[in-house]
Amino acid sequence: MKTSAKENNESLKEFFNKIGIKLVELTDWSCCGSSSAHCVDTDLALDLASRNLAIAPPDKPLLVSCPSCTLRLKQAHLHISEDENLQKRFKDKWGKSFNPDLKVIHYFELLEEMDFSKLAKEIKKPLTGLKFVPYYGCMLARPPEMRHAKNYHNLLENMLAALGATPLDWGSGSRCCGTFLSVAKPEAITPIINEIIQNGINTGADCLITACSMCQLNLEIRCDLKHQIPTLHFSEVLSLAMGTNKYKRWFPRHLVDPTPLLTRLGLIP
Amino acid sequence: MKACDPNFAREIMEKSKTSLTRCFSCMTCSSGCQFQHIMDVKPHAIIRMVQTGFREEALSASGPWLCVGCNTCSTNCPNAIDIPAVMDAIRQTAIVEKRKIPEPNVLNFHNAVLNSIKRYGRTHKIEIMMRYKLIQRDLFSDMDIGLRMLAKRKLDLRASKVKELPEIKKLFNKAG
């Protein structure tokens, strides 16, 4: 997010700033292991995730934005909590005891507690006219051991509808974007991405809205349809509603330019 | 038919920490899998191979390498089997046994990512792509996308690094 999806990182901070929540980047964070570590080495995957748990301030929630990082960090926290040997491994590696009370949360968990109707009264720019399909990708799927935890189906739709946008129903919102196969097997991913985008177009949507940076990138780079619609980061749309003027730094970074659409709808000048 | 390995199911269950003898082959996993059409052996059949001890077949199948771990299957599974964890266990076993990898490009990509994490503690996308392309001996495909991403400043030329790099390197050394 810090490099390939700067616009996602900055717009998320901007939104939380506008609603009075200050996010502080975890000092010296390291990669969670991504989709690669667990494929090749389970212990390494756990250690890479656990370093971030070890350096997180014990008394503050560790708020994560990337759905994949969230899963890796939450799963590592769960596994270590349940296994004394892993707690020992944690202490040996990081020189401190594992903190079972550390809260690892995805930012949806903060949003879910908000009163959207109250927020709707505070926004500067209602999202009127913005017809979108929500694209969650795999972010709401999880391993069986976590299936009883809270989940957040429909949050994108509910929140953005409260802010004036029009969510449309479709069947492709939870279809995986292909993650690393987009690099290792692009010829297999393009037809899948094309079908997702085409389904969005057929539904009558002006754009897709996603909360995952990697999905956003794959949807942009692997679509080769003649007619495409943009994919916006959820955080960009939230910030627009809050009346941000920083979008000028974000939208030029999209490979499918959303500015004609947003200008036509009067959401940006 | 080759001799079956009666201990294979136990081995994979220990490694994956999931109980795959719960599977009754309803095929829900495969029908929801976004990538089953490019797999030679689909997820439900992989599970069946492990249950029945078809070790060679399971360890040489492309299915596990094309699984991205999106958890759609394990969310849908009526028996709550962690199917991606089974795929992890199969891949890791194939690597440890130095088997021929059915989808070498996938492993090359994972190795390129892990090398970057070892070097910087974070992923340096442009270097991952360059190294991956070098290993693949395929420098020109996706050049257009790479250039567009560079133009949109979606690829930083300089790597973002962790300060305490020795901590990260140590994790890799211990892991071998």
Side-chain angles (χ1 to χ4, degrees):
Chain A
M1 262 180 81
K2 231 188 157 177
T3 57
S4 304
K6 264 190 198 121
E7 70 281 7
N8 189 184
N9 192 18
E10 286 175 11
S11 56
L12 189 78
K13 283 194 275 194
E14 170 77 350
F15 171 71
F16 276 105
N17 188 29
K18 293 258 185 205
I19 61 169
I21 296 174
K22 193 171 174 242
L23 302 180
V24 182
E25 189 173 297
L26 178 63
T27 309
D28 210 34
W29 60 273
S30 47
C31 176
C32 70
S34 186
S35 299
S36 293
H38 69 87
C39 283
V40 175
D41 186 334
T42 302
D43 290 340
L44 177 64
L46 183 92
D47 291 340
L48 284 170
S50 81
R51 178 174 180 273
N52 294 299
L53 302 178
I55 61 176
D59 53 342
K60 298 217 167 51
L62 180 58
L63 183 108
V64 196
S65 161
C66 167
S68 180
C69 300
T70 307
L71 176 61
R72 301 267 83 86
L73 296 175
K74 280 194 179 207
Q75 201 172 17
H77 193 270
L78 178 71
H79 286 174
I80 302 171
S81 301
E82 290 178 343
D83 186 334
E84 278 178 20
N85 290 328
L86 295 183
Q87 287 163 22
K88 190 175 172 298
R89 183 185 178 93
F90 184 98
K91 197 167 185 184
D92 290 347
K93 294 260 181 242
W94 312 118
K96 57 168 102 165
S97 295
F98 172 70
N99 176 8
D101 300 323
L102 178 72
K103 292 267 171 293
V104 182
I105 59 171
H106 184 262
Y107 77 86
F108 271 32
E109 294 169 59
L110 271 189
L111 299 184
E112 199 243 358
E113 290 177 4
M114 291 171 61
D115 181 343
F116 297 156
S117 53
K118 211 173 130 201
L119 182 70
K121 287 181 198 135
E122 291 167 18
I123 59 170
K124 303 278 183 300
K125 199 102 193 157
L127 303 168
T128 315
L130 184 67
K131 286 185 290 176
F132 73 98
V133 281
Y135 184 76
Y136 292 95
C138 70
M139 76 172 284
L140 299 176
R142 57 264 182 98
E145 62 195 357
M146 292 160 81
R147 63 166 48 174
H148 295 299
K150 264 182 150 182
N151 212 347
Y152 301 94
H153 288 278
N154 220 52
L155 186 131
L156 272 170
E157 296 93 306
N158 278 350
M159 187 161 183
L160 294 177
L163 304 185
T166 308
L168 300 174
D169 257 336
W170 69 326
S172 298
S174 291
R175 292 181 61 186
C176 170
C177 74
T179 85
F180 58 80
L181 291 182
S182 169
V183 177
K185 235 170 159 60
E187 71 284 0
I189 296 307
T190 291
I192 292 173
I193 297 288
N194 282 348
E195 202 186 320
I196 292 171
I197 305 263
Q198 191 59 55
N199 286 347
I201 294 171
N202 296 348
T203 310
D206 296 323
C207 64
L208 281 72
I209 297 182
T210 182
C212 173
S213 298
M214 189 170 53
C215 291
Q216 199 273 347
L217 184 66
N218 277 346
L219 289 166
E220 284 200 329
I221 64 174
R222 288 303 168 207
C223 181
D224 65 2
L225 296 173
K226 251 199 180 131
H227 173 58
Q228 301 184 19
I229 52 175
T231 301
L232 288 154
H233 296 283
F234 184 34
S235 52
E236 289 175 327
V237 185
L238 290 175
S239 292
L240 272 187
M242 298 309 293
T244 185
N245 55 13
K246 294 186 179 158
Y247 59 85
K248 288 178 195 136
R249 295 215 301 260
W250 308 334
F251 297 142
R253 302 173 59 89
H254 285 241
L255 297 180
V256 182
D257 185 6
T259 51
L261 165 70
L262 299 170
T263 313
R264 177 165 61 78
L265 295 175
L267 295 174
I268 57 174
Chain B
M1 197 194 290
K2 270 177 275 178
C4 292
D5 178 348
N7 294 321
F8 189 43
R10 193 179 303 139
E11 174 190 342
I12 294 298
M13 284 199 281
E14 273 166 20
K15 288 178 180 167
S16 64
K17 300 189 173 61
T18 194
S19 174
L20 51 83
T21 47
R22 290 200 290 245
C23 175
F24 49 42
S25 287
C26 69
M27 297 172 66
T28 300
C29 51
S30 295
S31 47
C33 176
Q34 181 87 306
F35 311 105
Q36 53 84 20
H37 62 288
I38 54 170
M39 295 176 175
D40 54 0
V41 184
K42 301 183 196 315
H44 75 281
I46 291 280
I47 302 288
R48 188 73 185 136
M49 279 179 170
V50 180
Q51 278 181 339
T52 48
F54 282 76
R55 195 175 203 281
E56 291 299 315
E57 289 78 357
L59 291 177
S60 56
S62 77
W65 293 92
L66 297 171
C67 165
V68 301
C70 73
N71 281 308
T72 304
C73 55
S74 51
T75 301
N76 294 343
C77 177
N79 293 309
I81 298 166
D82 192 340
I83 299 155
V86 174
M87 301 299 186
D88 279 349
I90 291 175
R91 281 189 292 259
Q92 293 178 19
T93 306
I95 292 171
V96 169
E97 295 182 3
K98 297 194 167 44
R99 284 170 180 265
K100 186 167 179 287
I101 303 299
E103 291 285 345
N105 42 352
V106 172
L107 182 57
N108 287 341
F109 177 74
H110 290 323
N111 284 336
V113 170
L114 291 174
N115 273 328
S116 181
I117 300 175
K118 186 176 177 181
R119 196 179 289 242
Y120 307 113
R122 297 177 183 174
T123 55
H124 184 29
K125 315 281 184 314
I126 196 165
E127 191 179 302
I128 290 172
M129 289 310 296
M130 301 293 269
R131 283 175 187 272
Y132 170 73
K133 295 274 168 206
L134 271 175
I135 301 168
Q136 296 285 106
R137 297 174 188 272
D138 164 26
L139 290 176
F140 298 107
S141 70
D142 280 344
M143 191 65 108
D144 54 332
I145 289 172
L147 290 174
R148 280 166 71 207
M149 286 181 68
L150 264 178
K152 296 276 177 185
R153 290 183 293 136
K154 276 182 166 289
L155 291 170
D156 277 2
L157 293 173
R158 281 181 59 196
S160 164
K161 282 185 208 168
V162 164
K163 283 195 200 81
E164 298 297 332
L165 263 178
E167 286 183 11
I168 303 285
K169 292 207 192 308
K170 223 161 47 187
L171 299 180
F172 282 83
N173 292 341
K174 274 191 186 160

